[in-house]
Amino acid sequence: MTSFDLNSIRDQVTLALREDLGGDIDAGCDITANLIDATTQATATIITREACTLCGVAWVNQAFALIDPSISLNWQADDGDEVEAGATLVSLTGPARGILTAERTALNFLQTLSATATVTRHYTQLLGASTTRILDTRKTLPGLRLAQKYAVRCGGGQNHRIGLFDAFLIKENHIFACGGINKAVLAAKAMAPGKPVEVEVESLDELHIALDAGADVIMLDNFTNEQIQEAVAINNARSKLEVSGNITDERLASLATIGVDYISSGALTKHVTAIDLSLRVSLDAD
């Protein structure tokens, strides 16, 4: 599966652990876990109570490593794998205190990222063999932008721009402030040659203007299927076409056959429901 910056993972997990431990990554701050004798060893398993597409292995590894590097993890699945309800995802061995201290932080990342990957996989399956690709948006959980975009890739989707720095997305308010679509596109191409320039349009008239301005990608915002079909014919493969707005399961199947290049949906990252996971512990015999 596509790699992820391990330094970013460490930063994200560090922040989450500090939040849970009162400011410092110090297992001694977990007052409940400290009720357990420091020498007590345990084995544990993380299972999923529902079918899902797994994502978040590196975040889980990092959470336990930061608390106690002696904890050993043995994964039975990897990022991007589809797993059934009841499946064991990973087995752990090590000090009981450390396992229980890192548990919630590890599960929080795993349940959230697996949720994003699972929804994305569902969408890509609805598209079937179509050449249309599903894209994410910037509607991500604060601080988890790169993690959720990684999860989208694990689910078979593609990333839209990462942020405000790597591509232009000229929307209604930008168009108004710049004095029109043509002026905005020309300014973007002059400012940063080579950066992708995308324009959001709300009518077929605006589509014509964006095409004439030379937009690389044109987002058809809240177009009906009939309007999209007409837009595809007008475009005639001059620009990439993206559909956004009111993307439901029912619409995805129909949009897959119309001929657009991309479908973007904020639901991949902002409407997800955490996967139901559980960590079960047993104590090692003396």
Side-chain angles (χ1 to χ4, degrees), residues 193-216:
K195 291 278 189 186
V197 178
E198 179 170 357
V199 177
E200 178 185 83
V201 301
E202 298 179 345
S203 68
L204 293 173
D205 287 340
E206 289 187 346
L207 170 65
H208 281 286
I209 297 171
L211 285 169
D212 290 342
D216 301 304

Side-chain angles (χ1 to χ4, degrees), residues 46-190:
I46 295 176
I47 66 167
T48 176
R49 298 185 184 276
E50 58 185 307
C52 67
T53 298
L54 183 65
C55 182
V57 168
W59 285 261
V60 173
N61 290 343
Q62 188 69 80
F64 287 104
L66 285 171
I67 292 300
D68 189 334
S70 73
I71 297 172
S72 174
L73 291 86
N74 180 28
W75 286 90
Q76 277 78 65
D78 201 357
D79 287 346
D81 288 350
E82 295 184 60
V83 293
E84 298 299 322
T88 295
L89 304 178
V90 60
S91 301
L92 306 94
T93 58
R97 281 187 179 184
I99 290 174
L100 294 177
T101 296
E103 171 189 1
R104 177 42 53 197
T105 293
L107 291 181
N108 283 348
F109 281 107
L110 194 63
Q111 70 189 17
T112 301
L113 299 183
S114 293
T116 294
T118 300
V119 172
T120 305
R121 179 64 53 81
H122 174 65
Y123 277 28
T124 59
Q125 289 172 339
L126 289 174
L127 289 174
S130 171
T131 58
T132 302
R133 295 290 175 257
I134 191 75
L135 300 178
D136 52 29
T137 70
R138 286 170 50 241
K139 297 174 183 177
T140 53
L141 297 174
L144 289 182
R145 169 72 55 79
L146 295 179
Q148 283 196 289
K149 283 185 174 284
Y150 169 76
V152 165
R153 298 198 301 274
C154 287
Q158 294 184 7
N159 296 147
H160 206 281
R161 60 178 180 159
I162 300 301
L164 298 174
F165 61 93
D166 57 328
F168 291 96
L169 178 47
I170 302 169
K171 306 184 80 170
E172 178 184 11
N173 288 331
H174 302 103
I175 292 168
F176 175 77
C178 288
I181 291 174
N182 189 62
K183 288 184 178 180
V185 172
L186 289 176
K189 289 183 176 291

